[in-house]
Amino acid sequence: VGETSTALRRGMVAPSLAATTRLLRPSLVARQRCSVRAFEVPFEVPSAALLADAAAETSAVISLDALGNDIFFFLLASVVVVPLSRVLNVTPVLGFLAVGCAAGPFGLGILSDSEANVQLGDLGIVFLLFIEGLQLSPDRLLKLGNFFKLGLAQFILTIAAITAANLYLGPQVLPAAERFILLDDELVRPILSTPVLAFCLAGAGALSSSAFVLPELKQRGWEERADGTAALAVLLLQDIAVAPLLVLLPLVAGSGPQSSAELGVLVAKATFGFGGVLVAGSVLLRQIFSVVAAARSSETFVAATLLVAIGMGVAADALGLSTTTGAFAAGVLLAGSQYRQQIEADIKPFEGILLGIFFMTAGANLDPALCVAEWPTLLSGILAFLGAKLGLLLPSC
């Protein structure tokens, strides 16, 4: 024990153990005297709490290093993917997804800190919806309102149709389909026999990804067309519908609010609370940017832009809505401002880089081996899903 203690003090043992020992504060170390061959050597025995603290600090340092490596890779991929996609005449989204899949944990394992990367990518979606709100003039808002019924019908009918198809049509079709297609019963049968799973799948199927669709609309120049306006209206309604869906899913599963009073509080927060935020924002935001612009500091202006976009998203999330809904509302409030073009120019680079991170983290979660192993089930589900969506949308167009 005495030799070990001396070696620790001199750094003669493994670096990780020595580094951990240096992190321990002497005032919190339990001192214990050990007798070895009639010699008493003072030896510091760390407590379990201190060992846990030291391990947490070491883990935090490792996480920061991993996040730094991931950010370096993201920036490198952004520099390569966008020009290469233009040369190949394909959307950069596919390039980012492919790079993320190759570098993710199911590929080369280059990307390590997945949770932090997902949060960075989510900021890209927040900025995307913020810019969309900035670009909405009063005339375009009226056009979006004309398609509100379409978005609402798509959302409700898709949930109803997919849930009914899973619970009633699926069990009838499955035996016949299994004669020709090798489906995975462990994946399919619980969905077709459990109402909660069927409803969850239908709720996910009723939603679309603004991060995927909106850049494609911009690239093709469809934003000002009638079908582009309809697509934007449907996407925005789906973003708004995320909040009630997140409240409804726990209720269906039996783990949500247990009383009507609790449910009423959630609804009041989402409606009156966010309504109050919008009223205050409509009064304060333009005055804030006027004060910031008077300072004639580009750094302060960029910081104020990021603060408004992220702050409104955080406020919406705290009130039970999605962060993208708050960011979009902030953009709409500033759409008529004289600083709109400058705000859009300042935030645009952040949106592009962070959206690339979002697509790469999405690709990193894809397991190619699982997709290959389950390709009959996966392909059948995709075709059935597309058929249900098209069957509901085409008659209403």
Side-chain angles (χ1 to χ4, degrees):
V1 174
E3 293 175 358
T4 303
S5 177
T6 304
L8 283 172
R9 293 192 182 95
R10 295 179 180 176
M12 296 172 59
V13 294
S16 60
L17 182 57
T20 303
T21 305
R22 285 196 297 271
L23 290 172
L24 303 177
R25 295 185 294 273
S27 60
L28 298 177
V29 174
R31 299 185 60 86
Q32 178 179 354
R33 305 185 67 85
C34 303
S35 177
V36 180
R37 293 184 181 182
F39 294 98
E40 289 191 354
V41 181
F43 178 61
E44 297 179 349
V45 179
S47 64
L50 280 175
L51 285 175
D53 291 342
E57 293 180 15
T58 305
S59 176
V61 173
I62 295 174
S63 297
L64 288 176
D65 291 340
L67 180 60
N69 293 332
D70 289 352
I71 291 176
F72 173 79
F73 177 81
F74 288 142
L75 296 176
L76 178 63
S78 299
V79 172
V80 174
V81 168
V82 175
L84 184 60
S85 300
R86 292 182 178 177
V87 171
L88 299 176
N89 196 25
V90 297
T91 174
V93 172
L94 295 178
F96 285 127
L97 289 173
V99 169
C101 182
F106 303 107
L108 300 176
I110 298 176
L111 302 178
S112 54
D113 199 344
S114 58
E115 181 62 29
N117 295 339
V118 169
Q119 293 175 357
L120 279 176
D122 288 344
L123 285 178
I125 306 176
V126 169
F127 293 153
L128 173 66
L129 269 297
F130 178 68
I131 292 178
E132 285 298 322
L134 280 175
Q135 295 174 346
L136 288 182
S137 62
D139 293 339
R140 198 172 179 209
L141 276 174
L142 291 176
K143 292 180 181 179
L144 289 177
N146 295 332
F147 292 100
F148 178 80
K149 294 181 180 179
L150 172 64
L152 187 62
Q154 181 272 332
F155 182 74
I156 296 176
L157 291 177
T158 301
I159 291 180
I162 295 180
T163 303
N166 285 332
L167 295 178
Y168 301 105
L169 184 61
Q172 307 297 326
V173 176
L174 183 62
E178 286 182 328
R179 298 178 183 176
F180 308 97
I181 306 173
L182 186 61
L183 300 176
D184 189 342
D185 283 350
E186 294 183 0
L187 292 176
V188 177
R189 290 194 178 277
I191 297 174
L192 303 183
S193 59
T194 308
V196 174
L197 290 179
F199 180 80
C200 291
L201 183 64
L207 302 175
S208 305
S209 174
S210 300
F212 282 86
V213 179
L214 291 180
E216 192 67 17
L217 291 177
K218 290 182 179 180
Q219 183 179 357
R220 297 178 180 271
W222 290 356
E223 288 183 294
E224 300 299 330
R225 292 172 44 174
D227 46 3
T229 304
L232 178 59
V234 172
L235 289 172
L236 292 178
L237 188 134
Q238 289 175 355
D239 286 333
I240 296 173
V242 168
L245 190 61
L246 291 178
V247 173
L248 190 58
L249 286 177
L251 289 175
V252 174
S255 59
Q258 301 301 316
S259 65
S260 58
E262 294 179 1
L263 184 60
V265 170
L266 292 177
V267 174
K269 284 174 59 178
T271 53
F272 299 107
F274 192 64
V277 172
L278 291 179
V279 172
S282 63
V283 176
L284 297 177
L285 286 183
R286 297 188 184 187
Q287 297 180 0
I288 291 173
F289 275 99
S290 297
V291 173
V292 171
R296 298 183 181 276
S297 171
S298 59
E299 295 86 355
T300 306
F301 197 90
V302 172
T305 301
L306 297 177
L307 176 64
V308 168
I310 298 175
M312 284 291 286
V314 171
D317 182 68
L319 293 170
L321 299 172
S322 64
T323 55
T324 53
T325 301
F328 177 78
V332 172
L333 292 177
L334 292 171
S337 169
Q338 58 180 325
Y339 308 108
R340 181 183 67 82
Q341 294 182 347
Q342 183 62 41
I343 292 172
E344 185 176 349
D346 287 339
I347 206 170
K348 190 69 176 177
F350 295 97
E351 176 222 351
I353 294 174
L354 293 174
L355 270 181
I357 295 177
F358 170 80
F359 292 126
M360 281 186 275
T361 53
N365 291 322
L366 180 64
D367 185 356
L370 179 62
C371 293
V372 172
E374 300 288 350
W375 75 266
T377 304
L378 183 62
L379 182 60
S380 301
I382 292 174
L383 293 177
F385 170 74
L386 290 177
K389 295 278 278 192
L390 290 175
L392 290 170
L393 283 176
L394 291 180
S396 59
C397 293

